[in-house]
Amino acid sequence: MYGSLSVIEIDNMGRKLEEEDPRLLAEFEAKIDAGLKIEPQDWMPYEYRRQLTRMIEQHAHSEIIGALPEGTWITRAPGFKRKLALMAKVQDEVGHGQLLYAAAETLGKPREQMIADLINGKSKYSNVFNYPAVTWADTAIIAWLIDAGAIVNQVTNSKGSYGPYCRALERICYEESFHLKYGHDTVVALATGTPQQRQMVQEALNRWWEPIMHFFGPPDKMSVHTEKLVRWKVKLATNDAMRQAFLDMYVPKIWELELTLPDPNLHKDPETGKWMYTEPDWEVFRRVINGDGPCNKERLAVRRWAEEKGAWVKRALLNKNEPYVAPLV
Ligand code: FAQ
């Protein structure tokens, strides 16, 4: 399964942190503390490789599955310009998936295995993409606020320790900034439009608020991986810190449009400067990320269909000498 790894790396597989060579581990951690990047050919502890593979792979899957909720609206976009912009955005998201799969592959896990793990339900992807885009306004909220959340996370983590992931994040963030502008423009058009359009965007915001609060991950006290990831500068901020940064930047912009948020407790504490809010339902989050959300089955079915129906293209590309006839779909 990890066929592309060197003997040293294979030897490194499956080790607990305390079993690693202490000298190599100390050198590795000193490099990270000094702000240097770790590159694929460098020595790294197994646990760093495992954590990064898990996180980048989940991120890649999120981009690919994340194209689906908005993608369903390409044929129904209101007008030619919105259609063009949405098509470009959805294509960008799929491209981000490819960049991230390539970054994850540098750690040794083949792309085929990652895709198989996604389709079999073994790998996770972001909770938010298991909800439907019920109306056009839902796509506007996704493009504005989910992309905003993604940017908060990715700009921060692009300063991290693993070279290939950071470089992919930097490039992705440029494109996500365009998505965010497009999303904001679409929300503003609806919020300043007819009473029906305002109502539509308000209802979409109400639907998406809890998934957005979940998006940054469980509270720090419940997070399994944060401590290690922060220590190794894979995550440059905790889940709660990212959530606070998002609220700080976007709640005022939402209120500026005279839209409301479905949390009566949401306010900034003047003394601490921190946002106070009703804790979203973390049991709902647990169910959604483990396969039991409104659209999980549908999302994976589409992915499985695409993989099966596209398999002949891969075979044809890999076996140049064998003539292939496209199956009738
Ligand atoms: N969804 O210990 P922690 C996008 C899981 S890209 C699903 O706190 P960690 C672009 C977590 O995996 C969006 N699962 O985990 C776009 C772990 O499960 P495991 C994706 C989640 O890794 C926009 C367990 O809970 N962004 O939106 C989520 O330290 C619009 C325990 O959690 C990234 O992937 C969640 N929200 O922190 C596309 C960024 N949160 O693996 C289309 C990179 C947690 O033990 C349209 N990732 N879990 O079974 C990260 O920054 C981190 O992985 C976190 C989670 C912050 C997501």
Side-chain angles (χ1 to χ4, degrees):
M1 170 163 126
Y2 291 96
S4 58
L5 293 183
S6 71
V7 175
I8 295 169
E9 284 161 334
I10 289 167
D11 180 48
N12 197 20
M13 284 295 164
R15 283 194 193 175
K16 294 200 184 104
L17 198 54
E18 53 275 20
E19 291 165 3
E20 299 286 3
D21 180 330
R23 186 184 55 83
L24 290 174
L25 186 59
E27 277 172 19
F28 166 83
E29 292 197 326
K31 209 167 161 184
I32 291 180
D33 290 345
L36 298 174
K37 297 278 186 231
I38 305 296
E39 296 297 339
Q41 68 277 11
D42 294 341
W43 185 90
M44 60 186 87
Y46 167 75
E47 184 56 12
Y48 179 82
R49 186 186 297 279
R50 188 185 74 84
Q51 284 285 353
L52 264 172
T53 306
R54 177 191 67 82
M55 200 170 120
I56 306 175
E57 179 182 349
Q58 286 181 7
H59 191 170
H61 295 329
S62 303
E63 301 278 357
I64 298 287
I65 299 285
L68 298 177
E70 289 170 280
T72 58
W73 277 91
I74 291 175
T75 53
R76 297 171 286 168
F80 183 59
K81 285 186 181 158
R82 290 289 190 224
K83 190 192 282 277
L84 280 181
L86 182 60
M87 258 165 44
K89 177 186 190 304
V90 167
Q91 282 178 0
D92 282 354
E93 306 297 5
V94 176
H96 297 169
Q98 306 307 324
L99 282 174
L100 291 163
Y101 283 130
E105 278 185 312
T106 63
L107 293 155
K109 184 166 179 180
R111 186 178 303 220
E112 289 72 21
Q113 187 61 51
M114 291 188 251
I115 292 171
D117 286 349
L118 168 67
I119 291 174
N120 299 333
K122 204 173 148 199
S123 287
K124 290 192 171 68
Y125 56 87
S126 186
N127 67 302
V128 283
F129 303 121
N130 289 308
Y131 293 87
V134 181
T135 67
W136 170 250
D138 293 63
T139 71
I141 296 295
I142 296 172
W144 185 28
L145 296 179
I146 303 293
D147 276 272
I151 291 176
V152 166
N153 174 295
Q154 288 162 193
V155 167
T156 310
N157 288 345
S158 69
K159 316 280 186 305
S161 63
Y162 190 57
Y165 187 41
C166 296
R167 291 189 284 274
L169 289 182
E170 262 178 40
R171 161 116 186 246
I172 290 170
C173 285
Y174 288 124
E175 293 182 354
E176 301 282 29
S177 313
F178 156 76
H179 301 169
L180 186 144
K181 284 201 169 68
Y182 154 77
H184 184 243
D185 185 64
T186 315
V187 168
V188 170
L190 293 170
T192 57
T194 65
Q196 287 95 324
Q197 286 173 321
R198 262 195 84 77
Q199 190 185 340
M200 193 163 79
V201 79
Q202 180 63 64
E203 285 171 3
L205 186 55
N206 296 347
R207 272 193 288 280
W208 283 88
W209 191 245
E210 185 167 79
I212 289 172
M213 290 296 279
H214 286 153
F215 178 81
F216 301 91
D220 294 350
K221 59 179 186 293
M222 285 163 59
S223 169
V224 187
H225 307 292
T226 296
E227 199 186 329
K228 205 175 284 169
L229 293 177
V230 168
R231 169 173 153 199
W232 283 334
K233 294 190 185 164
V234 174
K235 276 167 88 164
L236 276 274
T238 68
N239 300 354
D240 285 335
M242 297 269 193
R243 204 168 0 254
Q244 284 288 333
F246 169 82
L247 293 171
D248 229 15
M249 276 192 252
Y250 291 95
V251 172
K253 291 190 200 321
I254 294 168
W255 284 344
E256 208 171 78
L257 291 170
E258 293 179 11
L259 294 168
T260 58
L261 288 165
D263 178 359
N265 295 324
L266 184 71
H267 68 280
K268 195 172 190 173
D269 183 322
E271 276 178 24
T272 61
K274 288 219 157 130
W275 286 88
M276 310 301 286
Y277 49 82
T278 310
E279 211 50 66
D281 188 333
W282 291 105
E283 178 48 27
V284 170
F285 171 78
R286 194 194 59 75
R287 282 206 311 270
V288 171
I289 66 171
N290 285 301
D292 189 20
C295 297
N296 298 56
K297 287 191 180 62
E298 180 187 328
R299 300 284 183 249
L300 289 190
V302 172
R303 214 36 257 152
R304 193 172 299 117
W305 181 90
E307 207 47 33
E308 284 167 5
K309 295 296 171 198
W312 71 271
V313 180
K314 261 192 221 159
R315 284 198 303 271
L317 285 171
L318 290 173
N319 302 300
K320 292 199 181 72
N321 300 327
E322 270 182 54
Y324 260 98
V325 181
L328 294 172
V329 281

